[in-house]
Amino acid sequence: MKDKVIIVGAGLVGSLLACYLGKRGLAIEVYEKRPDPRKGLRTQGRSINLALSNRGLRSLEEVGLGEKVREILIPMHGRMIHNEEGILDFQPYGRLGQYINSVSRANLNTMLLEKAEELGAKFIFEHSCTGINWQENVVTFDHQGKESRIGGALIVGTDGAFSSVRSELMKTDRFNYSQYYIEHGYKELTIPPNAEGGFMMEKNALHIWPRGNFMLIALPNPDASFTCTLFFPFEGPQSFAQLSSDEVVRKFFQNTFPDAWELIPDLVDQYNTNPTASLVTVRCYPWVKDRVVIMGDASHAIVPFYGQGMNSGFEDARVFNDLIDAHGTGWESILSKFQTIRKPDADAIAELAMKNFVEMRDQVADSRFILRKKIESELNQKFPEQWIPQYSMVTFHDEIRYSEALRLGKIQDAIMNEFLDQFSEKTWEEKDLEQIIAQYEIKKVSDH
Amino acid sequence: MKDKVIIVGAGLVGSLLACYLGKRGLAIEVYEKRPDPRKGLRTQGRSINLALSNRGLRSLEEVGLGEKVREILIPMHGRMIHNEEGILDFQPYGRLGQYINSVSRANLNTMLLEKAEELGAKFIFEHSCTGINWQENVVTFDHQGKESRIGGALIVGTDGAFSSVRSELMKTDRFNYSQYYIEHGYKELTIPPNAEGGFMMEKNALHIWPRGNFMLIALPNPDASFTCTLFFPFEGPQSFAQLSSDEVVRKFFQNTFPDAWELIPDLVDQYNTNPTASLVTVRCYPWVKDRVVIMGDASHAIVPFYGQGMNSGFEDARVFNDLIDAHGTGWESILSKFQTIRKPDADAIAELAMKNFVEMRDQVADSRFILRKKIESELNQKFPEQWIPQYSMVTFHDEIRYSEALRLGKIQDAIMNEFLDQFSEKTWEEKDLEQIIAQYEIKKVSDH
């Protein structure tokens, strides 16, 4: 079939895109190298749960999964900060009713797959992409040593941070590419439910143990467990390399995360069993060649510290769908528009995600940062249309582009730093806040 | 043989390294995917001639080729600037006796190959590297569909900007990598010798036609021809994309490079026949894994505008050899030292090479730039130990590291810009120069 759309990768973004295009009545085939996830084999080396926020939710609503997905979400209204003594401090993410959601990757993926199938998409598992013929617009796949060649009108690579479709683009001339690994790796650990099957910590929060250069976080799961993730340097004085014996691991957790330590009876076993994975940022351009395009992690893999990896991938699919709404399925023109519009936003969220690591592991425990959050929250209450904190723009305002949130956030930083240099807690007045807003309004325009 | 050194890539850097290691009596095998260059087949897509300067010459001297290579060099004492009217302006590169050299890539490569063979290295052609087994320290090669597995104590990848050895490193975890293509491509054209077999322009200069965003350059060849290279954007209002017919090509050269145009009777034919190639900067790290290391373009491909691509690769080999002098052939410790020492210099020359493009295509025609060169030349005459212009540090002072030349050059820029803002041509005095030197000496130290 000449008009067929071939999607390579049946993960979250690929399945969502299949829903969008399926709704349009297009013929869709989605090829995935892994087995059907409904067969229950958990894939190693990918996080168990994810933070879903407004950008992602908007896409899910658009493909008709709004209600259904809400049944499997656990709202997280703010950050629960755990200090070295196990003392807690709750920092709301935004205003009342603004929250992010913990969601199981596997459950969400299955929901999307089944919706896409319902909308007519065909899923073909255990097929690895091995090449692209640019002249013929054909993808070759390997299935248990047997090669097949599939041609279509449009080929979309949604095959993740280590994308095979992107590897084919790498072989072509003038493809700009970078992969950058941060010094930190991560390891997942599970806090089990209590004896009654309930949560052992506050359910509706994202828990953080900020420790300067590293941190532990925890997100709630539907079975009342928490998935903890230790983000920690690979090498150096405090690093995975130093945690070389059971005794050292035990001491480290006991001293560094005492309250978490108490909730994980088999911590050392988990530590030894679970893999230590690396964290990469991938940037590249162009995303498009002929009738082939890459989306999601395949074109812009980012570090997980803003909880926007999945959300930005979902937004890719939504923007692509909006372009078809506006311009029809003349693929070549759509593809070119897509990458031009979307690249600055992908770069922006990559930068924001790196920056948020420092905020999470260090600044959330800092008194100046906490004061700033308080002032910004007051500004946002009083001037909800004018002052939207950067975190809120990224997380709750899907009508604001990532690139715009990055730009405005830099202006906010400058204004807030100046203000904080002048005032200490509770010495500011109503008119100071008005001045801030006036200053912001001017800079918003003049900075362009 | 367990102690064998395997070099992948018999280009300039691989052959030089084979000389260095061959001199030490080590067993060397050099594998090359191309046929033996002595069989006379010219490889497409690589420049015909190169600029050899002090860093490169020093290495050639160390392996005993100093005298022999001088026989095939054409000294270039400065830049010959051609303006739009064909009027010439000669700008010396340094002091009397300081010059760079045009050399044929093919002749130099053959000379190095033969020297390495003389020193006991074995060359095996038409063998492409297809993989590395990290556990066993074995490289697999393909020769006409037949696979061979070669093990050794040390594996060196000197297989260029599109290195296969680097591709194997790319498959390992936590390998940082970037490839960045500039907007410009290049096309080579030949100015033939005159009827008497002589040079049609000044022989002992590097010719430049600076035209703002683009340029034409020419280097002399031993047969009295010149190889010209047009560096020109791929796309845009003035670009390769616009030169779409013979007539447009003809008009463009006639108007833009009138004196060059007159010297190339078959310009349009050459333009249509010769390929347009792209220009990439490759950065990566680590360069080392286990007993495998990459050198030269394989680890740091740079744009050609400082004439340091080959020179920096040769310096890699020299630094590696110095490390063996100092520490013996305990490869793992040598390799780790090599990449730690050499990476900042590779990054520095990559940055300098990009910066020099703007200088060559634009600034050389600028009066402020010309005045600065004049002042710097006077400074260098009067204070030869204290003020060495950045170009001279990079090109003539192989005892100064690239990273140091980059650092000092930035200080020189700041001092010169301040000075030029205050003085116009010929209004400065002896004591002003002394003040500059005093300021430089302070900043050299305080900047650290």
Side-chain angles (χ1 to χ4, degrees):
Chain A
M1 207 168 2
K2 265 277 159 228
D3 296 346
K4 193 165 62 184
V5 176
I6 301 169
I7 297 175
V8 181
L12 296 164
V13 177
S15 304
L16 173 68
L17 185 70
C19 292
Y20 270 121
L21 302 183
K23 270 186 77 177
R24 297 184 167 275
L26 294 166
I28 317 289
E29 287 178 6
V30 189
Y31 292 82
E32 167 60 48
K33 73 170 178 211
R34 296 188 177 84
D36 190 334
R38 291 165 294 191
K39 290 185 179 159
L41 297 157
R42 207 212 136 195
T43 8
Q44 279 288 328
R46 308 164 81 210
S47 62
I48 291 163
N49 52 25
L50 297 158
L52 179 68
S53 54
N54 286 39
R55 289 170 206 266
L57 265 171
R58 174 166 167 192
S59 301
L60 293 169
E61 272 159 12
E62 288 185 358
V63 299
L65 285 172
E67 255 181 71
K68 204 168 169 201
V69 77
R70 281 192 170 78
E71 291 167 17
I72 61 166
L73 302 181
I74 303 178
M76 299 182 287
H77 297 280
R79 295 164 171 166
M80 186 68 84
I81 310 300
H82 298 239
N83 79 1
E84 275 90 346
E85 281 80 45
I87 293 169
L88 304 183
D89 174 35
F90 181 75
Q91 302 177 356
Y93 276 128
R95 288 184 284 137
L96 205 67
Q98 290 183 325
Y99 52 84
I100 64 175
N101 304 278
S102 179
V103 66
S104 145
R105 177 196 294 272
N107 292 350
L108 182 55
N109 210 341
T110 299
M111 192 180 284
L112 282 163
L113 266 172
E114 290 179 345
K115 185 70 183 178
E117 281 185 342
E118 203 184 301
L119 293 164
K122 250 183 78 185
F123 284 79
I124 302 100
F125 293 95
E126 294 169 73
H127 276 65
S128 312
C129 165
T130 54
I132 290 175
N133 183 315
W134 302 101
Q135 282 73 48
E136 300 172 28
N137 227 39
V138 159
V139 194
T140 52
F141 293 99
D142 173 84
H143 172 66
Q144 300 174 347
K146 244 185 67 189
E147 187 185 281
S148 48
R149 292 167 43 83
I150 315 290
L154 172 68
I155 297 164
V156 186
T158 49
D159 49 347
F162 303 97
S163 168
S164 302
V165 176
R166 192 184 65 222
S167 296
E168 295 304 306
L169 281 166
M170 281 278 284
K171 295 176 191 163
T172 67
D173 194 25
R174 298 181 69 214
F175 181 68
N176 289 330
Y177 176 77
S178 82
Q179 59 184 40
Y180 173 75
Y181 287 85
I182 64 170
E183 286 171 36
H184 296 68
Y186 72 93
K187 192 187 276 282
E188 291 189 335
L189 302 165
T190 306
I191 295 178
N194 63 24
E196 292 77 42
F199 286 92
M200 296 229 272
M201 305 187 297
E202 167 59 44
K203 173 187 177 186
N204 294 114
L206 190 152
H207 294 262
I208 310 182
W209 291 256
R211 295 295 182 266
N213 186 38
F214 61 92
M215 68 178 179
L216 183 73
I217 69 167
L219 274 75
N221 296 317
D223 67 356
S225 68
F226 286 90
T227 302
C228 300
T229 310
L230 173 64
F231 294 98
F232 202 42
F234 277 101
E235 311 282 340
Q238 284 197 297
S239 68
F240 284 115
Q242 298 303 313
L243 303 188
S244 49
S245 75
D246 292 0
E247 195 43 37
V248 178
V249 170
R250 193 174 293 123
K251 280 256 167 67
F252 170 73
F253 277 88
Q254 214 165 0
N255 294 333
T256 319
F257 313 112
D259 56 337
W261 158 253
E262 281 181 19
L263 302 178
I264 313 178
D266 59 340
L267 188 142
V268 173
D269 283 349
Q270 287 194 37
Y271 186 92
N272 291 332
T273 310
N274 296 351
T276 308
S278 54
L279 293 159
V280 70
T281 299
V282 172
R283 293 170 195 254
C284 63
Y285 206 76
W287 295 351
V288 169
K289 184 179 164 65
D290 304 336
R291 297 285 196 99
V292 177
V293 59
I294 50 177
M295 287 186 198
D297 283 0
S299 57
H300 53 88
I302 62 179
V303 292
F305 307 111
Y306 225 116
Q308 289 293 320
M310 168 180 63
N311 289 290
S312 65
F314 281 7
E315 199 172 64
D316 285 352
R318 179 181 67 74
V319 169
F320 191 74
N321 186 59
D322 286 352
L323 284 169
I324 305 175
D325 274 346
H327 306 283
T329 54
W331 294 125
E332 263 153 51
S333 128
I334 294 277
L335 295 185
S336 148
K337 287 189 177 76
F338 173 73
Q339 67 172 354
T340 309
I341 291 172
R342 200 62 189 144
K343 171 67 172 163
D345 292 326
D347 285 343
I349 193 58
E351 188 179 331
L352 287 163
M354 281 296 298
K355 190 180 144 237
N356 219 45
F357 188 21
V358 183
E359 180 166 322
M360 286 178 85
R361 75 187 193 213
D362 197 6
Q363 294 171 349
V364 288
D366 178 78
S367 61
R368 186 177 161 112
F369 174 85
I370 294 166
L371 177 57
R372 174 177 167 174
K373 284 273 158 182
K374 202 182 276 178
I375 299 167
E376 285 204 72
S377 157
E378 206 172 315
L379 279 167
N380 186 230
Q381 295 288 350
K382 294 218 161 90
F383 308 94
E385 305 291 310
Q386 282 151 291
W387 189 281
I388 306 169
Q390 188 179 49
Y391 185 89
S392 298
M393 288 192 271
V394 170
T395 308
F396 306 125
H397 287 265
D398 47 74
E399 79 285 3
I400 300 175
R401 292 177 59 170
Y402 286 130
S403 51
E404 183 68 356
L406 177 66
R407 184 182 81 85
L408 295 178
K410 284 177 180 167
I411 301 175
Q412 293 177 347
D413 283 350
I415 293 176
M416 280 290 124
N417 281 330
E418 206 182 300
F419 187 78
L420 288 167
D421 288 342
Q422 290 168 34
F423 294 89
S424 62
E425 189 154 6
K426 282 293 154 209
T427 64
W428 75 84
E429 297 165 23
E430 188 68 30
K431 73 168 173 32
D432 297 324
L433 298 186
E434 277 161 20
Q435 250 170 23
I436 287 179
I437 295 294
Q439 216 186 332
Y440 187 40
E441 291 298 325
I442 290 165
K443 287 198 181 167
K444 264 185 193 175
V445 179
S446 66
D447 169 76
H448 258 307
Chain B
M1 209 166 2
K2 266 276 159 229
D3 296 346
K4 194 165 62 184
V5 177
I6 301 168
I7 298 175
V8 182
L12 296 164
V13 177
S15 304
L16 173 68
L17 185 70
C19 292
Y20 269 121
L21 301 183
K23 268 185 79 177
R24 297 184 168 274
L26 294 166
I28 318 288
E29 286 178 7
V30 189
Y31 292 83
E32 167 61 47
K33 72 170 179 214
R34 296 187 178 85
D36 190 333
R38 291 165 293 191
K39 290 185 179 159
L41 297 157
R42 207 212 136 195
T43 8
Q44 280 287 327
R46 308 164 80 209
S47 62
I48 290 163
N49 52 25
L50 296 158
L52 178 68
S53 54
N54 286 38
R55 289 171 206 266
L57 265 171
R58 174 165 165 192
S59 300
L60 294 169
E61 272 159 13
E62 287 185 358
V63 300
L65 285 172
E67 255 182 71
K68 204 168 169 201
V69 77
R70 281 194 169 79
E71 291 166 17
I72 63 166
L73 302 182
I74 303 177
M76 299 182 288
H77 297 280
R79 295 164 170 167
M80 186 68 84
I81 311 299
H82 298 238
N83 79 0
E84 275 91 344
E85 281 80 45
I87 294 170
L88 304 183
D89 174 35
F90 182 74
Q91 303 177 355
Y93 275 128
R95 288 184 283 138
L96 205 67
Q98 289 183 325
Y99 52 85
I100 64 175
N101 304 279
S102 178
V103 66
S104 144
R105 177 197 292 272
N107 292 350
L108 181 56
N109 210 341
T110 299
M111 192 180 285
L112 281 163
L113 266 172
E114 290 180 344
K115 184 71 184 180
E117 281 184 342
E118 203 185 299
L119 293 164
K122 251 182 78 184
F123 284 79
I124 302 99
F125 293 95
E126 293 169 73
H127 277 63
S128 313
C129 165
T130 54
I132 289 175
N133 182 314
W134 302 101
Q135 283 73 47
E136 300 172 28
N137 226 40
V138 159
V139 194
T140 51
F141 293 98
D142 173 84
H143 171 65
Q144 299 175 348
K146 242 184 69 189
E147 186 184 281
S148 47
R149 292 168 43 83
I150 315 290
L154 173 68
I155 297 164
V156 186
T158 49
D159 49 347
F162 302 98
S163 168
S164 302
V165 176
R166 192 184 64 223
S167 296
E168 295 303 307
L169 282 167
M170 281 276 285
K171 294 176 192 164
T172 68
D173 194 25
R174 300 180 67 213
F175 182 69
N176 289 330
Y177 176 77
S178 82
Q179 60 184 41
Y180 174 74
Y181 287 86
I182 64 170
E183 286 171 37
H184 297 68
Y186 71 92
K187 192 186 276 284
E188 292 189 335
L189 302 165
T190 305
I191 295 179
N194 63 25
E196 293 77 42
F199 286 93
M200 297 231 272
M201 304 187 298
E202 167 58 44
K203 172 188 179 186
N204 294 115
L206 191 152
H207 296 262
I208 310 181
W209 291 256
R211 295 296 181 266
N213 186 38
F214 61 92
M215 67 178 179
L216 182 72
I217 69 167
L219 275 76
N221 295 318
D223 68 355
S225 68
F226 286 89
T227 302
C228 299
T229 310
L230 173 64
F231 294 98
F232 202 42
F234 277 101
E235 311 283 340
Q238 284 197 297
S239 69
F240 284 114
Q242 298 304 312
L243 303 187
S244 49
S245 75
D246 291 0
E247 194 43 37
V248 177
V249 171
R250 193 173 293 122
K251 278 256 168 66
F252 169 72
F253 277 88
Q254 215 166 0
N255 294 333
T256 319
F257 312 112
D259 56 338
W261 159 254
E262 281 182 19
L263 302 178
I264 314 179
D266 59 340
L267 187 141
V268 173
D269 283 349
Q270 287 194 36
Y271 186 92
N272 292 332
T273 309
N274 296 351
T276 308
S278 55
L279 293 160
V280 71
T281 299
V282 172
R283 293 171 196 254
C284 62
Y285 206 75
W287 294 351
V288 169
K289 185 178 164 63
D290 306 335
R291 297 286 196 97
V292 177
V293 58
I294 49 177
M295 287 186 199
D297 284 359
S299 56
H300 53 89
I302 62 179
V303 291
F305 307 112
Y306 225 118
Q308 289 294 319
M310 168 180 63
N311 289 289
S312 64
F314 280 8
E315 198 171 63
D316 285 351
R318 179 181 67 73
V319 168
F320 191 73
N321 185 59
D322 287 350
L323 284 169
I324 306 176
D325 274 345
H327 306 282
T329 54
W331 294 125
E332 262 152 53
S333 127
I334 294 279
L335 295 186
S336 150
K337 287 189 177 76
F338 174 73
Q339 68 173 352
T340 309
I341 291 172
R342 200 60 189 148
K343 172 68 172 163
D345 292 326
D347 285 342
I349 193 60
E351 186 179 333
L352 287 164
M354 281 297 297
K355 191 180 145 237
N356 219 46
F357 188 22
V358 183
E359 180 166 323
M360 285 177 86
R361 75 187 192 215
D362 198 6
Q363 294 171 349
V364 290
D366 178 78
S367 61
R368 186 176 160 115
F369 174 84
I370 293 166
L371 177 57
R372 175 178 167 173
K373 284 273 159 184
K374 203 183 275 178
I375 299 167
E376 285 205 71
S377 156
E378 206 172 315
L379 279 167
N380 186 229
Q381 296 287 350
K382 293 218 162 88
F383 309 94
E385 305 290 310
Q386 282 151 291
W387 189 280
I388 306 169
Q390 188 178 50
Y391 185 89
S392 297
M393 288 193 272
V394 170
T395 308
F396 305 124
H397 288 265
D398 47 74
E399 79 285 3
I400 300 175
R401 292 176 59 169
Y402 287 130
S403 51
E404 183 68 358
L406 177 66
R407 183 182 81 85
L408 295 178
K410 283 177 181 168
I411 300 175
Q412 292 177 348
D413 283 350
I415 292 175
M416 280 290 122
N417 281 330
E418 205 181 301
F419 187 79
L420 288 166
D421 287 343
Q422 289 169 35
F423 293 90
S424 63
E425 189 154 8
K426 281 293 155 211
T427 65
W428 75 82
E429 298 166 23
E430 189 68 30
K431 73 166 171 35
D432 297 324
L433 298 186
E434 277 161 21
Q435 249 169 23
I436 286 178
I437 294 295
Q439 215 186 332
Y440 186 42
E441 291 297 325
I442 291 164
K443 287 198 180 165
K444 263 185 193 175
V445 179
S446 66
D447 170 75
H448 258 307

